[in-house]
């Protein structure tokens, strides 16, 4: 008490743990690494990407939000550079192939030029459209996965909270279990914001809630934030959320079975 030493410090000094040979340290956060293709795309189209972002901020904002919701491990500007680079490569390849086929078929030069430019331009536009739509498709897929795992995650969280564990420890246990693939990306974001960027738990939950593709998970995080800031019982809140989640899950399963039964009756009647 006189020197102000904490109990954990005294335990570490009085009972030092011997490091085991070959033991790996637990990683408290994960880092993203840029791919070679992304670096090459930035070299060729980095400046053009900056101009597009400045001229069309609305499109870039929507794309950035979709990329964050989809949990793609790539920066928004790099993704835009990759889109332009890929569209250019695909367009040039389509142009060359079309011109080669038309020349082999001994078509007129005017037809060769027009058809090659048209096919190359159309292919480049299609490739760019696929890049723009892809993050939203991934985000919708993640939303369905989170929806399937969320009831069981809430039950797990309620059980851990019942033991008196803090929210950060609760998320660490869920992430280390590896049982909830749908929510793994969101939980890792929370751990990154706290352990790597130094956010407090409330700010980390608010940041993840603003980008998650699942409205239900957003509501859960918002409720946890309100409970922590108001000094409420996290155990009681998670227990009530677990009861509601399982009730909703059972109703959705029942509805799904009824739909399958209806389709079965229709199929039997037609047969």
């Amino acid at each position: 008490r006189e020197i102000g030493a904490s109990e954990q410090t005294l335990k570490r000094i009085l009972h030092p743990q011997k490091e085991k040979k070959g033991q790996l340290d637990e990683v408290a956060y994960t880092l993203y690494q840029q791919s070679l293709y992304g670096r090459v795309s930035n070299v060729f189209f980095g400046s053009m990407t900056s101009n597009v972002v400045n001229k069309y901020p609305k499109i870039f904002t929507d794309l950035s939000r979709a990329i964050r919701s989809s949990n793609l491990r790539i920066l928004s500007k790099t993704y835009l550079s990759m889109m332009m680079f890929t569209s250019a490569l695909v367009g040039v390849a389509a142009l060359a192939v079309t011109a080669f086929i038309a020349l082999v078929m001994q078509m007129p030069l005017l037809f060769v030029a027009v058809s090659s430019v048209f096919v190359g331009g159309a292919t480049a536009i299609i490739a760019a459209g696929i890049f723009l739509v892809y993050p939203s498709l991934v985000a919708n897929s993640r939303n369905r996965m989170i929806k399937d795992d969320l009831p069981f995650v809430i039950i797990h969280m309620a059980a851990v909270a019942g033991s008196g564990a803090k929210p950060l420890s609760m998320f660490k246990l869920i992430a280390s279990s590896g049982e909830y693939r749908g929510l793994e990306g969101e939980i890792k974001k929370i751990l990154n914001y706290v352990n790597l960027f130094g956010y407090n738990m409330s700010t980390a939950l608010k940041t993840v809630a603003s980008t998650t593709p699942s409205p239900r998970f957003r509501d859960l995080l918002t409720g946890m934030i309100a409970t922590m800031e108001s000094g409420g019982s996290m155990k009681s809140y998670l227990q009530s959320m677990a009861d509601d989640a399982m009730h909703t899950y059972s109703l959705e399963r029942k509805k799904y079975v009824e739909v399958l039964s209806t389709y079965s009756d229709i199929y039997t009647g037609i047969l």
Side-chain angles (χ1 to χ4, degrees):
R1 285 194 299 268
E2 291 178 355
I3 65 176
S6 63
E7 182 178 358
Q8 290 79 9
T9 303
L10 294 177
K11 287 183 178 180
R12 187 169 64 250
I13 295 174
L14 297 177
H15 305 285
Q17 296 180 356
K18 296 182 179 179
E19 296 183 358
K20 296 181 179 179
K21 192 174 183 180
Q23 183 179 6
L24 297 178
D25 295 333
E26 181 183 359
V27 179
Y29 53 85
T30 58
L31 297 175
Y32 297 158
Q33 294 182 354
Q34 188 180 20
S35 63
L36 177 61
Y37 190 73
R39 290 197 295 268
V40 174
S41 301
N42 284 327
V43 170
F44 288 100
F45 289 92
S47 59
M48 186 180 296
T49 299
S50 300
N51 294 331
V52 171
V53 171
N54 294 330
K55 291 182 179 180
Y56 307 100
K58 179 66 168 56
I59 298 177
F60 178 76
T61 301
D62 295 340
L63 179 62
S64 177
R65 186 180 296 109
I67 291 175
R68 295 179 67 185
S69 298
S70 63
N71 200 32
L72 294 175
R73 296 175 176 244
I74 187 171
L75 297 176
S76 302
K77 289 187 177 181
T78 302
Y79 186 84
L80 197 58
S81 299
M82 291 173 60
M83 181 189 73
M84 295 180 180
F85 186 53
T86 304
S87 300
L89 289 179
V90 172
V92 171
L95 186 148
V97 172
T98 304
F100 176 78
I101 294 175
L103 290 175
V104 170
M105 298 177 64
Q106 298 181 353
M107 296 293 180
L109 292 180
L110 180 60
F111 177 81
V112 173
V114 173
S115 61
S116 300
V117 172
F118 176 78
V119 172
T123 306
I125 292 174
I126 293 174
I130 293 175
F131 265 82
L132 289 176
V133 174
Y134 179 71
S136 299
L137 296 178
V138 176
N140 293 333
S141 177
R142 294 190 65 245
N143 182 23
R144 291 190 294 269
M145 294 176 63
I146 293 175
K147 181 179 178 181
D148 294 336
D149 289 344
L150 189 57
F152 307 101
V153 171
I154 297 176
I155 293 174
H156 195 162
M157 293 172 65
V160 176
S163 64
K166 295 182 178 180
L168 182 60
S169 302
M170 182 170 55
F171 285 115
K172 284 183 178 180
L173 288 173
I174 295 175
S176 62
S177 65
E179 298 178 0
Y180 313 106
R181 307 297 297 178
L183 279 163
E184 183 178 0
E186 306 300 308
I187 295 175
K188 284 184 177 180
K189 285 181 182 179
I190 296 174
L191 298 178
N192 283 347
Y193 286 136
V194 174
N195 297 320
L196 181 60
F197 295 103
Y199 291 5
N200 57 35
M201 179 56 64
S202 179
T203 304
L205 295 181
K206 289 179 182 178
T207 307
V208 175
S210 64
T211 59
T212 181
S214 172
R216 295 185 180 179
F217 188 59
R218 184 184 305 115
D219 294 339
L220 173 67
L221 296 182
T222 303
M224 292 181 64
I225 295 169
T227 302
M228 287 188 295
E229 293 181 348
S230 63
S233 174
M234 186 66 66
K235 175 183 176 182
S236 301
Y237 169 73
L238 290 176
Q239 188 60 50
S240 63
M241 291 296 295
D243 296 337
D244 293 341
M246 286 309 299
H247 180 67
T248 304
Y249 182 79
S250 61
L251 291 178
E252 290 178 349
R253 294 299 95 185
K254 182 179 179 181
K255 180 179 178 181
Y256 179 71
V257 172
E258 291 177 352
V259 170
L260 287 181
S261 177
T262 302
Y263 283 137
S264 177
D265 293 340
I266 293 174
Y267 174 78
T268 305
I270 295 174
L271 187 62

